Amino acid sequence: MTTQELYRRLRQELKRLVDTHRLNESSIELKSRGLSPEEAIGHTRRKDYPILAGREIMLQARFGDALGQAFTDAPSEFCGTLDDVLSLDTENDPHGRALLIATLNAVMRHTGDIDHTVHCKNDDLERCAEAYATRVREGFGTPRIALVGYQPALTSRLSQEFPLRVLDMNPQFVGSVKSGVTIEHGGESYRDAVLDWSELVLCTGSTLCNGTFVNFVDIGRPVVFFGISGAAAARVFSLPRFCPCSC
């Protein structure tokens, strides 16, 4: 699957939902905005989450009473209809891409196709990390894990129990040492860490927003997606997702 095919398929799914549920006949408008760090993840014990460093923002789409969220480094304020979203250039414009992802999460939440589309907050981030350690231990034993997307609580907890390599694209983190693990460049270390070394990949759904999501589909080893950005995409492509503390 290419990046173009990825966004085309997500747009097709949104169009299908609009037609199936006659959402284009509704007077409800889509509203989206960036959330402040406190609105997005609350007050956290750890202070090095990407959203706190200013690299990313949480884009939140509301459709009716349903919320859909997506992390992005291309924030965009928007108010319009679903037809407006379908007309966006999602293949070349990162703003349109983020809006599509958050919108599809909100609409599929509205139609009842998915849940867990709102990020956990406060101490739930630590509980999420503990739940992930349990999930990995019970489902995979003690695998070599490639964590794609630096997440402080997951990095700290998983590094205590499993062989772990962490990849990220944020230059603020690459090369730094977190919980005893050196953060590697997501592009430069992809082949070595993911394809050659890992036995399990835990991948952030935020890879949807920069198109690297396609690098973690059908790669010959188990991949589990975490976070709220990939809620709809995981359903559309029938991919495993574990996001235990989101709502």
Side-chain angles (χ1 to χ4, degrees), residues 42-76:
H43 298 281
T44 59
R45 178 165 64 86
R46 304 176 195 276
K47 301 303 179 184
D48 56 346
Y49 286 94
I51 194 171
L52 299 178
R55 176 75 175 185
E56 295 182 341
I57 66 105
M58 177 82 80
L59 188 67
Q60 177 169 284
R62 178 184 293 272
F63 186 74
D65 293 327
L67 297 177
Q69 296 179 335
F71 277 111
T72 178
D73 59 2
S76 180

Side-chain angles (χ1 to χ4, degrees), residues 67-69 101-109 114 117 228-232:
L67 297 177
Q69 296 179 335
I101 294 164
T103 298
L104 187 57
N105 285 340
V107 171
M108 291 190 77
R109 180 69 178 261
I114 60 173
T117 58
I228 40 79
S229 301

Side-chain angles (χ1 to χ4, degrees), residues 83-106:
D83 283 341
D84 292 332
V85 175
L86 288 168
S87 68
L88 294 171
D89 180 5
T90 54
E91 294 183 17
N92 302 299
D93 179 13
H95 299 280
R97 196 177 300 160
L99 283 167
L100 171 67
I101 294 164
T103 298
L104 187 57
N105 285 340

Side-chain angles (χ1 to χ4, degrees), residues 39-245:
E39 288 177 302
I41 64 173
H43 298 281
T44 59
R45 178 165 64 86
R46 304 176 195 276
K47 301 303 179 184
D48 56 346
Y49 286 94
I51 194 171
L52 299 178
R55 176 75 175 185
E56 295 182 341
I57 66 105
M58 177 82 80
L59 188 67
Q60 177 169 284
R62 178 184 293 272
F63 186 74
D65 293 327
L67 297 177
Q69 296 179 335
F71 277 111
T72 178
D73 59 2
S76 180
E77 298 292 323
F78 178 86
C79 181
T81 65
L82 294 177
D83 283 341
D84 292 332
V85 175
L86 288 168
S87 68
L88 294 171
D89 180 5
T90 54
E91 294 183 17
N92 302 299
D93 179 13
H95 299 280
R97 196 177 300 160
L99 283 167
L100 171 67
I101 294 164
T103 298
L104 187 57
N105 285 340
V107 171
M108 291 190 77
R109 180 69 178 261
H110 173 81
T111 59
D113 291 295
I114 60 173
D115 53 18
H116 290 270
T117 58
V118 176
H119 204 285
C120 60
K121 294 183 177 182
N122 306 323
D123 293 339
D124 279 343
L125 283 89
E126 302 296 327
R127 285 190 278 271
C128 170
E130 190 60 44
Y132 249 97
T134 300
R135 176 71 174 263
V136 170
R137 186 188 318 114
E138 294 179 350
F140 303 95
T142 54
R144 297 189 298 270
I145 301 173
L147 177 63
V148 180
Y150 171 59
Q151 205 273 20
L154 280 178
T155 300
S156 175
R157 179 61 187 87
L158 295 176
S159 66
Q160 297 172 26
E161 187 172 347
F162 308 97
L164 181 70
R165 293 174 71 173
V166 180
L167 281 66
D168 202 279
M169 301 294 282
N170 187 342
Q172 290 178 279
F173 295 130
V174 173
S176 63
V177 178
K178 305 289 186 180
S179 301
V181 180
T182 300
I183 310 302
E184 303 176 58
H185 189 278
E188 295 173 0
S189 296
Y190 168 76
R191 176 166 295 279
D192 179 55
V194 174
L195 299 184
D196 297 336
W197 180 82
S198 75
E199 295 172 313
L200 170 67
V201 178
L202 304 181
C203 181
T204 174
S206 300
T207 51
L208 276 170
C209 293
N210 63 19
T212 58
F213 182 89
V214 298
N215 295 336
F216 303 96
V217 178
D218 297 328
I219 60 172
R221 71 213 55 231
V223 178
V224 178
F225 289 89
F226 65 89
I228 40 79
S229 301
R235 177 63 180 269
V236 171
F237 295 106
S238 301
L239 300 171
R241 171 178 175 255
F242 185 55
C243 198
C245 296

